[in-house]
């Protein structure tokens, strides 16, 4: 029996389990948004997480999601799709979350327009458990039979920087791709959105979850305080 199942079977609250898990990987304490979001994401509910940069949004999404898919992963099937608006963000996210994937014995790769032909072939021939990509590359993947087969057991989609897609052509394109992913998958796909700021929260929730589908909004409204000290050094001008 897995660590997750062992602890939850003993009626240990999910928030307590994940607090221990976060401590084990180096976090001294959970942030406010993590305390609020972890129990929701653990329940596999479509969620939009809105919190300031540096508050741990990415971790409060990927750590519980990776814990879940560790139990259902299948060779040759992509279980988690992580979508970002920029190729550079793809690489940054890859560096940040690789260690969390490896701790759950999950494989992870990045696929975007700059990906080499050799790596594209590797991903196609031996799909990872977690794939990081962009909306434009996702459109291409959905035209390839091998990738459609690899995505046929997809369970989770994480969309980073949700605000970048709202009321835009790219957003409309991504919405269509999300629906196509669901039609292609044998599993109910849970969608998790991350953003530091959103103008119209209700519209963002509808965009993320799809028309007439519920979406839990988890927002950290706290203001970060900074101490700014300005020094003038004589002779520096």
């Amino acid at each position: 029996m897995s660590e997750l199942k062992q602890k939850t079977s003993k009626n240990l609250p999910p928030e307590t389990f994940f607090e221990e898990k976060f401590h084990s990987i180096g976090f001294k304490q959970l942030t406010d948004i993590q305390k609020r979001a972890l129990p929701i994401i653990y329940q596999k509910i479509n969620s939009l997480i809105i919190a300031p940069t540096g508050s741990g949004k990415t971790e409060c999404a990927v750590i519980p999601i990776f814990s879940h898919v560790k139990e259902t992963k299948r060779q040759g099937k992509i279980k988690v799709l992580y979508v970002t608006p920029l190729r550079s963000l793809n690489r940054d996210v890859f560096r940040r979350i690789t260690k969390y994937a490896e701790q759950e014995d999950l494989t992870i790769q990045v696929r975007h327009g700059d990906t080499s032909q050799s790596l594209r072939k590797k991903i196609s021939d031996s799909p990872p458990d977690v794939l990081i990509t962009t909306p434009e590359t996702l459109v291409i993947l959905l035209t390839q039979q091998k990738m459609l087969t690899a995505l046929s057991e997809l369970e989770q989609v994480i969309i980073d920087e949700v605000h970048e897609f709202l009321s835009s052509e790219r957003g409309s394109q991504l919405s269509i791709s999300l629906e196509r992913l669901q039609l292609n998958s044998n599993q109910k796909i849970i969608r998790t959105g991350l953003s530091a700021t959103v103008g119209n929260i209700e519209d963002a929730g509808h965009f993320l979850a799809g028309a007439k589908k519920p979406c839990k909004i988890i927002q950290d409204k706290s203001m970060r305080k900074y101490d700014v000290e300005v020094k003038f050094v004589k002779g520096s001008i």
Side-chain angles (χ1 to χ4, degrees):
M1 185 181 291
S2 71
E3 180 189 11
L4 180 63
K5 288 186 176 179
Q6 284 177 338
K7 294 209 171 187
T8 52
S9 66
K10 295 177 182 178
N11 297 319
L12 186 66
E15 56 267 32
T16 303
F17 167 73
F18 283 113
E19 186 170 5
E20 292 181 3
K21 194 172 188 68
F22 271 63
H23 288 167
S24 71
I25 57 181
F27 291 87
K28 293 183 178 179
Q29 62 183 19
L30 299 181
T31 64
D32 179 66
I33 195 64
Q34 289 170 346
K35 290 177 182 177
R36 296 170 57 197
L38 284 168
I40 303 299
I41 296 174
Y42 174 77
Q43 295 177 61
K44 298 183 179 181
I45 297 173
N46 292 331
S47 306
L48 174 59
I49 303 170
I50 306 171
T53 300
S55 58
K57 296 187 297 296
T58 301
E59 285 74 16
C60 75
V62 301
I63 291 176
I65 286 174
F66 288 175
S67 294
H68 273 305
V69 300
K70 176 183 180 179
E71 304 305 318
T72 60
K73 69 175 184 176
R74 290 180 54 189
Q75 187 173 0
K77 300 296 182 181
I78 298 169
K79 304 299 285 186
V80 182
L81 198 64
Y82 196 118
V83 182
T84 76
L86 301 172
R87 298 175 188 178
S88 58
L89 189 54
N90 274 188
R91 292 186 285 268
D92 179 60
V93 168
F94 179 74
R95 286 192 294 269
R96 289 183 59 190
I97 72 174
T98 294
K99 60 182 177 182
Y100 306 132
E102 292 176 346
Q103 285 169 349
E104 301 293 357
D105 297 319
L106 301 175
T107 55
I108 182 170
Q109 289 286 359
V110 177
R111 172 72 162 83
H112 50 61
D114 292 337
T115 303
S116 66
Q117 287 295 334
S118 60
L119 183 53
R120 293 183 190 189
K121 186 176 187 305
K122 178 182 178 181
I123 292 172
S124 179
D125 292 342
S126 182
D129 301 305
V130 182
L131 182 65
I132 305 171
T133 191
T134 60
E136 289 75 20
T137 297
L138 177 56
V139 170
I140 296 172
L141 297 181
L142 288 169
T143 66
Q144 301 173 0
Q145 186 55 54
K146 270 192 173 183
M147 294 309 299
L148 288 173
T149 300
L151 291 163
S152 64
E153 294 292 331
L154 185 69
E155 293 182 19
Q156 299 272 357
V157 174
I158 301 171
I159 302 175
D160 209 346
E161 305 289 354
V162 170
H163 61 276
E164 292 285 347
F165 300 113
L166 301 179
S167 301
S168 70
E169 184 177 340
R170 296 183 79 205
S172 299
Q173 182 184 66
L174 179 56
S175 292
I176 294 171
S177 293
L178 290 173
E179 296 303 320
R180 292 183 63 191
L181 284 169
Q182 183 59 81
L183 288 172
N184 181 69
S185 180
N186 298 318
Q187 307 295 324
K188 178 184 177 182
I189 299 176
I190 306 302
R191 305 176 187 180
T192 302
L194 309 175
S195 185
T197 179
V198 172
N200 189 316
I201 294 176
E202 185 176 349
D203 284 352
H206 289 319
F207 163 78
L208 176 66
K212 299 181 180 179
K213 295 178 184 177
C215 180
K216 182 70 174 179
I217 307 296
I218 311 166
Q219 184 174 17
D220 181 357
K221 298 181 180 179
S222 62
M223 295 293 292
R224 292 199 146 198
K225 295 182 179 180
Y226 299 91
D227 292 325
V228 179
E229 182 179 2
V230 179
K231 290 185 177 182
F232 172 75
V233 180
K234 187 176 181 181
S236 61
I237 299 178

